Amino acid sequence: MISSIFEEQLTIELEKVLLRPITADDAEDLYDIFSDKQVMKYYDRLPLKSREEADDLAKMFMDGLADKTMIRWGIEEKAGGKLIGTCGFFCISEDDKKVEIGYELRRDRWGMGIMSEALGAIMKFIFTRTDINRVEAFVEVQNVASMRLLDKLGFVNEGTLRQYERCRNELIDVTIWSCLRSDGVY
């Protein structure tokens, strides 16, 4: 069952970065990331406007972990200890054996393979330490870089959901991607 992993050590050391649970001390770095309009261009929330909103975001990630409704890792650079992004899973369905992933990275770290390494580790974590069968990702149709990343990680594009959600005051189309345990990628 997936709920047992919330009691485990959740820090994952990778080549370039350390994945670790978000803390209140991360609020300043979260503000730097989530206030950047380019980073938030395809995100389902508006860029942060204040440090207080970053405090609330850190609390939401921490509460999700405490409530066992999500795991959101901070992506911390090994050199310097700076938080440069987050990634994790939420919308956990024990009955349907599925989760949804989400992620973002500071703009000045794009194209360096960091998110590929981080998400690959999370996928391995999900498929080796839980009984989850399906991992989903929803991506706006214009977000080509994110779709390339998911394709590289072995996800399958299952199609476009027309006017699927309201984002930035308009109904938008999103593509749905999945990776199944039986795909054997992880």
Side-chain angles (χ1 to χ4, degrees), residues 16 32-43 75 77 84-86 103-116 142-146 148-149 152:
K16 300 173 186 174
D32 289 343
I33 298 162
F34 283 84
S35 64
D36 184 319
K37 289 179 182 164
Q38 285 300 109
V39 171
M40 302 301 286
K41 184 174 181 178
Y42 300 117
Y43 215 79
I75 303 172
E77 282 185 317
I84 59 170
T86 78
Y103 46 90
E104 73 290 317
L105 191 65
R106 286 176 60 100
R107 187 170 13 141
D108 60 355
R109 300 306 192 277
W110 290 356
M112 301 170 84
I114 294 168
M115 191 56 75
S116 181
Q142 298 88 351
N143 193 348
V144 176
S146 190
R148 265 192 243 124
L149 172 65
K152 179 180 176 183

Side-chain angles (χ1 to χ4, degrees), residues 153-169:
L153 292 169
F155 279 72
V156 173
N157 183 342
E158 295 183 335
T160 300
L161 302 171
R162 299 177 311 139
Q163 297 182 4
Y164 180 73
E165 66 184 8
R166 188 172 190 79
C167 193
R168 297 172 301 277
N169 295 318

